[in-house]
Amino acid sequence: REAKNGIRPSLLLTSVALVGCRAILLRIQVENMRVCVCFQAAAALCISVGSFSDPDDLPGLAHFLEHMVFMGSEKYPAENGFDAFLKKHGGSDNASTDCERTIFQFDVQRKYFREALDRWAQFFICPLMIEDAIDREVEAVDSEYQLARPSDSHRKEMLFGSLAKPGHPMGKFCWGNAQTLKHEPREKQINTYQRLRDFWKRYYSAHYMTLAVQSKETLDTLEEWVREIFTKVPNNGEPRADFSHLLRPFDTPAFNKLYRVVPVRKVHALTISWAVPPQVKYYRVKPLHYISWLIGHEGTGSILSLLRKKCWALALFGGNSETGFDQNTTYSIFSISITLTNQGYQNFYQVNMHMSQSSSFFSRIYDEIQKIEANEFHYQEQTDPIEFVENICENMQLFPKEDFLTGDQLMFEFDPQVISAALSPLTPDRANLLLLSPENEGRCPLREKWFGTCYSEEDIPEEWSQRWTGDFELNSELHLPAENRFIATDFALKESDCPDSEFPIRTVNNERGCLWYKKDTKFKIPKADIRFNLISPIIQKSPENLVLFDLFVNILAHNLAEPAYEADVAQLEYKLVAGEHGLVIRLKGFNHKLPLLLKLIVDHLADFSADPGVFNMFSEQLKKTYFNILIKPERLGKDVRLQILEHSRWSVIQKYQAVTKGLTVDDLEAFATGLKAELYVEGLVQGNFTSTVRRRNTNRKTLKLQFQPLSAEVPVLFRVVELPHKHHLCKVKSLNKGDANSEVTVYYQSGLKNLREHALMELMVMHMEEPCFDFLRTKETLGYQVYPTCRNTSGVLGFSVTVETQATKFSTEFVEAKIEEFLASFGERLSGLSEDAFRTQVTALIKLKECEDAHLGEEVDRNWFEVVTQQYVFKRLNKEIEALKLFSQAELVSWFLEHRNTNSRKLSVHVVGFGVEENDPPEPSAGCGPESPDNPPSSSYGEVSELTFLPSASQDATLITDIRAFTSSLPLHPYHKILS
């Protein structure tokens, strides 16, 4: 369950009952929408209370309460009872705390929806919140906070909030941690238990709540259930928390300054922010969305286009995220974030100058945005039920009932006065500048209290302020976007010109490649998905080639960014991905103009070239990208594990070394020529296309690229080592000395298995999820993120358990011992499972696999997996369902114990953070204020070009201290695909 930090999803479904718990029942029957055929039902409840209501002496209490109500109720006292019920019936749940709202949501098989609703409603009727659970769950909140500390986005938010006027709730520490919720309250003799219950009674009141439920039952039935179950939610009659009088919180001397910040990642970034009056009431105009459209435009004549030509910027984002941090009842934020190059960082004030040159607005642009978003709304696809109800219950807090479904999506009316009023405060004298760069290290004496961010504060020089506000000549290269040629106007559904099929059929198959095609007959929308994989033998030849491939894809995307931007804003999505063995091109959107976008991409691919300045810009950026991957414990752990398991895989460290040694633009040109010379192209076209149109477009693509067939087949998998029949441990030190977070993954290799055993492994992990969470997180409080997962490593199966913990609390070897303790207890649990419980879990997994795709993209993703792995088992789900029906409990127990005996092939990977439990000495200051074991340095840019292998106290494991030496002696599995 994670704190809310993102843009909320929003789409439509049918058969929805909406309930306002203020004794008002709101019902909407959505006309002319496809019937939801998924077996899942879902519910979400939004409470108009969040971290703004935290008491000053207990920061993070609202977030903590969101955690605590999950911990059993008077009617259902088991601590993890609700999670266990959902896991047993194929469901999931989550919750999030924002500034002024808290949202809970879950989904489950429809058959168990009413019982799940009753169990869930007890969170809001009579939660237990026993004292023992409080002491343990505060550790989960603390671990969540510790995991967030290395995040630059969270750090920026906390620093930004500290600039608000004294007494404004933006200055509160919304996360909460062990210090604020346990240690300090004990010192001050504050009864956290009683205060938590008081907070629940005061704010978890029915008249603050809105509820959305979705299932295939009739609206009358859903209304009856909701009335029966939720009528018991108490209503205290108290007025809701209101902060709307605390306007203009950032009209302070501290706001209009330049703040230099030391980031955790290697990144140069400039964020320019303004605080404007609250804008939610103008949702029908959406002025900030309109302004961001103009400023964030990336096509010809845009600010970003000009900055890219100067090689000053890589990306630019403008607008308001609509989260509570960016938009609440006291203010709205409009911000512009620019990812700078090294050269752009040196010229950041001139970048600022360019930002002040875009202020015009016209109805033509508004009409265009309105048309694009209306098209998308009218022809939108279903989303997952759990996402839909979450969005609707929050909309019910924000908009009148007639706009619950549309208020956050549509542009209703053009109002120049409203737009002008939102635009008028966006002046240089009201701006806040936040400049992130590693070069700030050592020059930032101040430290933010909660996340330890090192920063400095300085006045914006008068000279620059005058230049911003003066009458300087506008750059002639800047102009408004031209009329968008990619906006679809033909939404007709195409008639099939070949027999319909349930699965894709191969319509082209020759030495240059093959093409799979499926006409959409299920969703019946004027959209399509096109995907190609351009397989080449030269990609995996060396780390240098992998770096050149990354450069090729980045520069190709850069070359496309301007001409393809109009397609992007017209809801035609495209993505270029550097795959393991080929270049993956993905396109989706309205089929009318999709061929136009495909032609544009193929033309740029065929005529690829790299300007030397652009090459140098992306070479520098790639160093930062690899560095930023390596300093994340979870990414480093994955890289180490796959480097051990997959033969001939080049590590991210080897790629970092290659890019650091230096490559030239001539190297890239030679690589690009070689890449395009010999290819095998495999594609999938699915949606509202006829086979004739599809074949014609594919032929044009092949002719334009003019490649030769491969001289030898290129595998799309790695060969995988066969681990020995014993336990091996690879223990490496984290590469960020300012990060306490560790990751422990215990992996059991199963081997070359078939489809039936893959389904058995899925069933076993499904049984494992809830007890794993209960034991390792709830009871042992080892960390916020704990999870088991299935592993399919280039066709070789296995399963693992992962715990993300902190070196300030536990050593990785202690955590591994606890994982082993859990696995031992889980074996006993499996053996004692009743036949009914076993069959219930089997049924739940079958129901999940039987669940119809919610939208075209889900079906395409599943089919594309078969194509890109060259397995082509499009009936995989059906085959797995048939296998599941035949499993016995004894077979499941036997399969698990087989992987846990003395002959098991076990690999543990530890990425060890910095902290007292790992015997680390205190690190020297990173150049800013006081630090402590709970407040380590903001960042520490050490060397990441090699791993530091650590010793182990364990007598049971054989230590790996040289990965290549270890794997060179191991046998290799043959290439393997799970086909039957």
Side-chain angles (χ1 to χ4, degrees):
R1 306 183 191 105
E2 56 193 10
K4 186 175 186 180
N5 293 289
I7 299 174
R8 61 191 179 202
S10 53
L11 283 174
L12 283 178
L13 287 175
T14 190
S15 225
V16 180
L18 305 176
V19 181
C21 292
R22 290 158 287 191
I24 302 172
L25 189 66
L26 300 166
R27 298 169 25 132
I28 295 179
Q29 181 69 55
V30 185
E31 301 292 345
N32 302 320
M33 298 293 291
R34 296 178 308 284
V35 175
C36 175
V37 290
C38 184
F39 288 92
Q40 295 296 92
L45 184 142
C46 182
I47 312 173
S48 59
V49 64
S51 58
F52 274 11
S53 298
D54 283 346
D56 292 336
D57 56 352
L58 281 173
L61 192 67
H63 180 209
F64 187 31
L65 178 58
E66 170 232 300
H67 278 242
M68 282 304 304
V69 295
F70 280 86
M71 310 294 284
S73 64
E74 291 179 15
K75 187 173 182 180
Y76 302 102
E79 254 184 25
N80 264 35
F82 185 62
D83 280 342
F85 180 83
L86 293 181
K87 295 299 182 189
K88 188 185 296 184
H89 302 298
S92 63
D93 63 344
N94 210 332
S96 55
T97 303
D98 212 325
C99 296
E100 295 178 293
R101 285 179 292 282
T102 302
I103 299 179
F104 297 83
Q105 70 269 17
F106 77 90
D107 64 359
V108 74
Q109 289 171 35
R110 175 189 164 197
K111 179 180 178 182
Y112 300 97
F113 186 45
R114 194 197 182 288
E115 183 178 352
L117 267 181
D118 185 51
R119 290 172 175 269
W120 186 63
Q122 306 309 311
F123 293 5
F124 319 109
I125 296 171
C126 53
L128 282 180
M129 296 193 291
I130 60 175
E131 289 194 69
D132 179 56
I134 285 175
D135 281 346
R136 284 182 283 107
E137 192 63 19
V138 76
E139 294 301 330
V141 172
D142 187 74
S143 289
E144 183 179 358
Y145 155 72
Q146 297 288 353
L147 285 171
R149 287 189 88 249
S151 163
D152 286 321
S153 61
H154 295 323
R155 286 166 170 257
K156 284 169 60 179
E157 284 188 356
M158 290 305 300
L159 176 58
F160 195 87
S162 71
L163 307 181
K165 291 177 181 176
H168 190 277
M170 267 310 300
K172 292 184 177 183
F173 174 48
C174 59
W175 291 82
N177 61 14
Q179 177 187 344
T180 67
L181 295 169
K182 183 162 70 174
H183 304 313
E184 287 183 0
R186 284 178 181 171
E187 291 171 8
K188 298 175 181 177
Q189 296 185 322
I190 294 172
N191 187 335
T192 304
Y193 167 70
Q194 188 57 50
R195 294 285 293 278
L196 197 69
R197 300 193 72 84
D198 292 344
F199 195 88
W200 180 86
K201 288 177 184 176
R202 171 63 182 87
Y203 293 111
Y204 276 44
S205 178
H207 64 310
Y208 304 155
M209 298 177 180
T210 48
L211 172 68
V213 300
Q214 175 186 306
S215 186
K216 285 187 67 179
E217 281 73 26
T218 65
L219 290 173
D220 287 340
T221 299
L222 291 176
E223 178 181 337
E224 180 186 344
W225 290 357
V226 167
R227 285 191 181 279
E228 287 177 2
I229 293 169
F230 288 89
T231 191
K232 297 174 186 175
V233 176
N235 184 335
N236 60 29
E238 296 280 348
R240 72 172 62 202
D242 184 6
F243 302 94
S244 60
H245 61 289
L246 299 174
L247 298 174
R248 309 175 77 86
F250 293 106
D251 282 1
T252 63
F255 188 76
N256 184 215
K257 302 268 190 182
L258 166 64
Y259 289 88
R260 298 179 186 267
V261 176
V262 180
V264 175
R265 298 175 303 140
K266 277 197 175 176
V267 63
H268 300 305
L270 172 65
T271 300
I272 310 165
S273 301
W274 292 268
V276 301
Q279 297 292 306
V280 175
K281 62 184 175 181
Y282 302 120
Y283 74 93
R284 297 187 67 81
V285 181
K286 294 185 172 60
L288 297 186
H289 182 53
Y290 174 67
I291 296 167
S292 72
W293 187 285
L294 294 176
I295 293 178
H297 182 66
E298 298 181 17
T300 304
S302 67
I303 297 169
L304 183 58
S305 173
L306 180 60
L307 295 176
R308 279 173 169 160
K309 287 175 183 174
K310 293 175 177 286
C311 291
W312 285 359
L314 295 161
L316 184 152
F317 304 97
N320 180 292
S321 71
E322 299 182 11
T323 60
F325 175 84
D326 264 15
Q327 185 156 281
N328 53 62
T329 58
T330 76
Y331 69 86
S332 290
I333 293 293
F334 184 85
S335 61
I336 302 166
S337 295
I338 310 152
T339 304
L340 301 171
T341 63
N342 290 355
Q343 193 176 349
Y345 171 71
Q346 302 301 327
N347 293 279
F348 82 91
Y349 265 116
Q350 290 193 54
V351 172
N352 231 333
M353 299 293 181
H354 290 302
M355 297 313 306
S356 66
Q357 297 189 48
S358 179
S359 60
S360 301
F361 53 91
F362 295 95
S363 61
R364 175 185 70 80
I365 303 294
Y366 195 96
D367 291 344
E368 195 170 272
I369 304 169
Q370 196 173 41
K371 185 188 299 182
I372 289 169
E373 301 204 341
N375 285 345
E376 183 61 23
F377 179 84
H378 187 71
Y379 294 105
Q380 66 187 299
E381 301 175 74
Q382 295 185 141
T383 189
D384 288 337
I386 194 171
E387 293 180 10
F388 176 68
V389 292
E390 178 190 5
N391 185 61
I392 295 301
C393 76
E394 186 169 19
N395 283 0
M396 292 169 68
Q397 301 265 353
L398 300 172
F399 311 123
K401 62 185 177 185
E402 61 270 18
D403 294 329
F404 285 166
L405 302 177
T406 58
D408 60 337
Q409 297 187 71
L410 295 183
M411 309 278 280
F412 295 92
E413 57 200 40
F414 178 63
D415 189 330
Q417 288 185 323
V418 170
I419 295 170
S420 181
L423 192 61
S424 60
L426 308 186
T427 57
D429 61 307
R430 296 172 63 91
N432 171 269
L433 273 61
L434 213 59
L435 182 64
L436 277 70
S437 173
E439 295 188 23
N440 294 333
E441 188 157 14
R443 298 188 294 167
C444 294
L446 305 175
R447 180 186 285 274
E448 190 276 321
K449 179 178 180 180
W450 298 108
F451 279 61
T453 307
C454 293
Y455 68 98
S456 68
E457 173 190 326
E458 59 191 80
D459 291 329
I460 297 171
E462 186 66 26
E463 175 193 353
W464 283 313
S465 296
Q466 290 174 357
R467 288 181 64 189
W468 288 347
T469 54
D471 294 326
F472 57 90
E473 185 178 350
L474 293 180
N475 193 300
S476 60
E477 293 184 53
L478 294 174
H479 56 79
L480 287 168
E483 191 169 347
N484 194 328
R485 65 192 176 115
F486 284 97
I487 297 177
T489 56
D490 179 4
F491 303 105
L493 297 181
K494 309 300 181 187
E495 294 291 335
S496 295
D497 60 352
C498 63
D500 291 339
S501 62
E502 184 181 357
F503 301 109
I505 56 173
R506 185 153 41 191
T507 58
V508 175
N509 188 17
N510 58 43
E511 59 185 359
R512 283 185 170 84
C514 68
L515 181 70
W516 298 84
Y517 165 77
K518 183 180 184 301
K519 173 77 170 69
D520 171 45
T521 56
K522 183 189 301 182
F523 299 98
K524 298 180 181 178
I525 54 172
K527 294 185 178 182
D529 229 301
I530 301 174
R531 302 193 185 184
F532 288 100
N533 188 21
L534 281 63
I535 302 167
S536 168
I538 73 170
I539 293 171
Q540 285 287 345
K541 280 192 172 178
S542 67
E544 288 74 18
N545 274 21
L546 281 170
V547 171
L548 290 168
F549 185 41
D550 284 340
L551 284 168
F552 174 81
V553 174
N554 279 317
I555 294 173
L556 177 60
H558 172 83
N559 294 345
L560 272 166
E562 195 169 305
Y565 182 71
E566 288 179 336
D568 187 46
V569 299
Q571 309 291 346
L572 300 183
E573 299 179 31
Y574 74 95
K575 192 171 185 181
L576 308 174
V577 180
E580 301 281 11
H581 305 278
L583 170 62
V584 177
I585 302 172
R586 300 176 182 170
L587 301 87
K588 69 175 183 178
F590 292 111
N591 57 276
H592 180 206
K593 297 296 180 77
L594 215 51
L596 191 62
L597 177 58
L598 179 60
K599 180 181 182 303
L600 186 67
I601 293 172
V602 173
D603 287 348
H604 276 74
L605 179 60
D607 302 329
F608 176 84
S609 63
D611 176 86
V614 172
F615 174 84
N616 292 333
M617 176 174 74
F618 277 101
S619 293
E620 288 300 318
Q621 189 62 25
L622 209 53
K623 290 178 190 176
K624 297 188 184 85
T625 299
Y626 295 150
F627 178 93
N628 294 336
I629 289 171
L630 290 168
I631 63 171
K632 293 180 179 179
E634 69 276 14
R635 298 293 298 272
L636 181 60
K638 177 182 178 180
D639 195 52
V640 169
R641 177 172 51 80
L642 291 181
Q643 196 182 352
I644 293 171
L645 294 176
E646 293 183 333
H647 180 65
S648 297
R649 168 180 281 275
W650 306 105
S651 70
V652 178
I653 284 182
Q654 288 170 303
K655 291 164 71 174
Y656 180 79
Q657 291 168 340
V659 73
T660 304
K661 282 188 288 189
L663 296 164
T664 67
V665 69
D666 291 336
D667 294 331
L668 179 61
E669 294 284 0
F671 174 84
T673 301
L675 178 75
K676 293 185 291 181
E678 288 188 10
L679 293 170
Y680 184 83
V681 179
E682 196 153 20
L684 171 67
V685 176
Q686 195 166 332
N688 190 38
F689 277 125
T690 62
S691 63
T692 304
V693 171
R694 175 265 316 150
R695 191 179 299 112
R696 184 165 62 243
N697 284 315
T698 304
N699 289 340
R700 286 177 186 162
K701 178 177 186 288
T702 304
L703 288 171
K704 179 71 177 179
L705 291 176
Q706 294 183 327
F707 57 87
Q708 295 300 311
L710 296 178
S711 53
E713 183 182 355
V714 176
V716 294
L717 302 169
F718 291 99
R719 291 187 68 183
V720 177
V721 301
E722 184 179 26
L723 291 175
H725 286 292
K726 59 193 310 186
H727 178 200
H728 281 81
L729 167 64
C730 187
K731 190 174 176 183
V732 300
K733 197 66 175 172
S734 172
L735 297 176
N736 178 6
K737 294 181 181 179
D739 192 356
N741 290 298
S742 301
E743 184 185 78
V744 178
T745 295
V746 178
Y747 166 79
Y748 287 87
Q749 188 179 68
S750 188
L752 303 183
K753 303 296 182 180
N754 57 29
L755 188 144
R756 187 174 187 277
E757 285 164 310
H758 184 276
L760 188 62
M761 184 174 69
E762 282 188 293
L763 181 64
M764 186 271 295
V765 169
M766 195 174 187
H767 272 282
M768 191 183 288
E769 283 179 340
E770 191 281 326
C772 177
F773 183 94
D774 184 52
F775 184 89
L776 296 174
R777 177 177 147 169
T778 304
K779 290 187 170 63
E780 296 293 337
T781 66
L782 296 179
Y784 178 68
Q785 293 279 14
V786 303
Y787 56 91
T789 191
C790 301
R791 301 283 184 188
N792 182 343
T793 309
S794 286
V796 176
L797 296 185
F799 70 91
S800 65
V801 176
T802 297
V803 174
E804 295 179 17
T805 189
Q806 286 79 44
T808 51
K809 300 178 180 180
F810 305 104
S811 71
T812 58
E813 297 200 20
F814 176 83
V815 171
E816 167 142 357
K818 287 296 180 181
I819 292 174
E820 281 301 307
E821 190 178 330
F822 159 69
L823 289 171
S825 67
F826 177 70
E828 295 172 4
R829 179 188 180 114
L830 266 189
S831 300
L833 204 63
S834 70
E835 183 63 24
D836 283 349
F838 171 77
R839 284 295 155 205
T840 298
Q841 201 77 70
V842 170
T843 301
L845 186 52
I846 288 174
K847 292 295 185 185
L848 284 176
K849 290 179 181 293
E850 286 178 339
C851 194
E852 292 282 347
D853 300 305
H855 52 82
L856 179 64
E858 284 190 5
E859 184 180 347
V860 173
D861 284 343
R862 194 172 59 255
N863 290 335
W864 180 243
F865 171 77
E866 299 299 333
V867 172
V868 82
T869 58
Q870 296 181 347
Q871 295 181 112
Y872 315 123
V873 185
F874 298 109
K875 296 182 178 181
R876 188 177 300 274
L877 282 178
N878 296 341
K879 291 176 177 288
E880 289 175 344
I881 288 168
E882 292 307 310
L884 284 166
K885 291 176 180 177
L886 301 176
F887 287 144
S888 67
Q889 180 195 356
E891 195 173 0
L892 179 65
V893 173
S894 174
W895 193 89
F896 175 75
L897 295 178
E898 176 188 330
H899 292 80
R900 293 275 301 151
N901 61 27
T902 53
N903 290 322
S904 65
R905 305 177 191 273
K906 177 183 172 185
L907 171 67
S908 301
V909 175
H910 297 191
V911 178
V912 181
F914 287 81
V916 293
E917 294 300 321
E918 298 291 354
N919 302 312
D920 290 309
E923 282 296 317
S925 173
C928 60
E931 58 190 74
S932 68
D934 294 323
N935 195 22
S938 169
S939 64
S940 185
Y941 294 105
E943 184 53 62
V944 300
S945 58
E946 61 181 29
L947 292 174
T948 299
F949 293 90
L950 300 177
S952 170
S954 171
Q955 303 298 314
D956 301 326
T958 302
L959 206 59
I960 301 172
T961 56
D962 184 327
I963 292 175
R964 287 289 171 239
F966 169 66
T967 58
S968 62
S969 62
L970 299 179
L972 297 177
H973 287 296
Y975 291 114
H976 180 67
K977 297 172 185 177
I978 303 171
L979 306 178
S980 61

